Amino acid sequence: MSAILLKQGREKSLLRRHPWIFSGAIHHLDEEAASGATVDLLSFNKQFLARASYSPTSQIRARVWTFEDESVDKEFFRRRICSAIETRQKLNVESQSNAYRLIYAESDGIPGLIVDRYGGVLVLQSLTAGSEFWKETLADILIDETGLSTIYERSDADVRELEGLETSVGLLRGTPNPQLLIIINEHDLKFNVNLESGHKTGFYLDQRANRLRVRELAKDKDVLDCFCYSGGFTVNALAGEAKSVLSVDSSGDALALAKENILLNELPLDKAQLIEGDVFQLLRKFRDENRSFDMIILDPPKFAPTAAQAERAARGYKDINLLAFKLLRPGGTLVTFSCSGGIDAGLFQKIIAGAALDAGADAQIVEHLSQAADHPVSLHFPEGAYLKGLVCLHK
Ligand code: SAH
């Protein structure tokens, strides 16, 4: 096995059990290693620190599989996968939904691997050289340990490029032509999910608890759902007896899905209005028209995937939140999110505070929201906590 010798003093993050080694921390690699191959990480004094996957093209040159001197093989991955499955059983996620995250990469000790379960189908996303190296083995274990037979691969995320990997989409296990249009049940509501073309692995599973919260808060309110995608929040607001829901997305296909999902749940379509447009522009238009709402939901796409784009992203978040505060009626509720890895919870709160101040709104935070429990966060890998949300009350 090849070994990576770190520069002097660069073992600190590993000693705190953070699983990434950046290229700048590396002194040298003693012999060439293939993409995704297992390598030892040694301190400058040649002390064993961890066993990791090697990614020759990525700035994150190695990702730790284990901090123990143990072999990384099929049985190793079986233990990790079983432990991740057990976590979801302890959480009793199945009582909430038949669609949930079974394996969440670093947070479950398997960097690069995401597996979401949609009813009887597993959707797998391999994001790193390491998870790619072990993909077939991981798929075999998943079939063994879940008792399911179908795995559909959705390795189409942009980050694969950084790892030198091409897009890979299609059936990984199971009989040809599986059913990829499925209906999931989440907290007693149904959603159509297209596993082939849906965002991420098909649906925003991470917002499950927050969708339910919106349902609980929406009664008798005029709701504005910005960036509505397939209507997750819209359907919940209608189920929670909102007076009206206006849903905005720039994608006509997303709005068509949202409409289908309203109908699927036999919710009143006459209370819903779906508008195709740019949220940034539409919020301005509503401001100029003096429109107002009792509840506004802002769930934009990632403005800052990494900390490098944080500043530009911060301006984007401030802009839409400032406009939203202006459109909120007294006593109204703002439910606002960021899924940018580059913006931490503290910064997000500051941005929202700045937006309220500039909008002249007197508001208070009544709840902090985050990703659902089936997207856990390793204490040693805080980057796993990407979704931040605040519920603010406008006084
Ligand atoms: N709230 C959704 C997820 C939102 S994903 C849910 O819970 O399921 C982000 C959505 O924003 C995508 O559907 C995308 O089409 C849309 N979008 C991106 N930029 C936009 C813009 N400037 N204006 C309106 N919609 C936009």
Side-chain angles (χ1 to χ4, degrees), residues 199 203-204 206-207 211 225-233 248-251 254 277-280 297-303:
H199 288 186
F203 197 61
Y204 289 90
D206 50 1
Q207 289 281 27
R211 283 190 280 266
D225 179 10
C226 298
F227 310 96
C228 69
Y229 184 49
S230 59
F233 287 110
V248 186
D249 202 282
S250 54
S251 151
D278 173 47
V279 166
F280 290 83
I297 300 153
L298 297 175
D299 184 24
K302 245 190 255 164
F303 291 157

Side-chain angles (χ1 to χ4, degrees), residues 104-121:
Y104 178 32
E106 276 83 350
S107 298
D108 284 306
I110 315 178
L113 182 71
I114 286 177
V115 181
D116 289 341
R117 179 173 179 161
Y118 290 89
V121 179

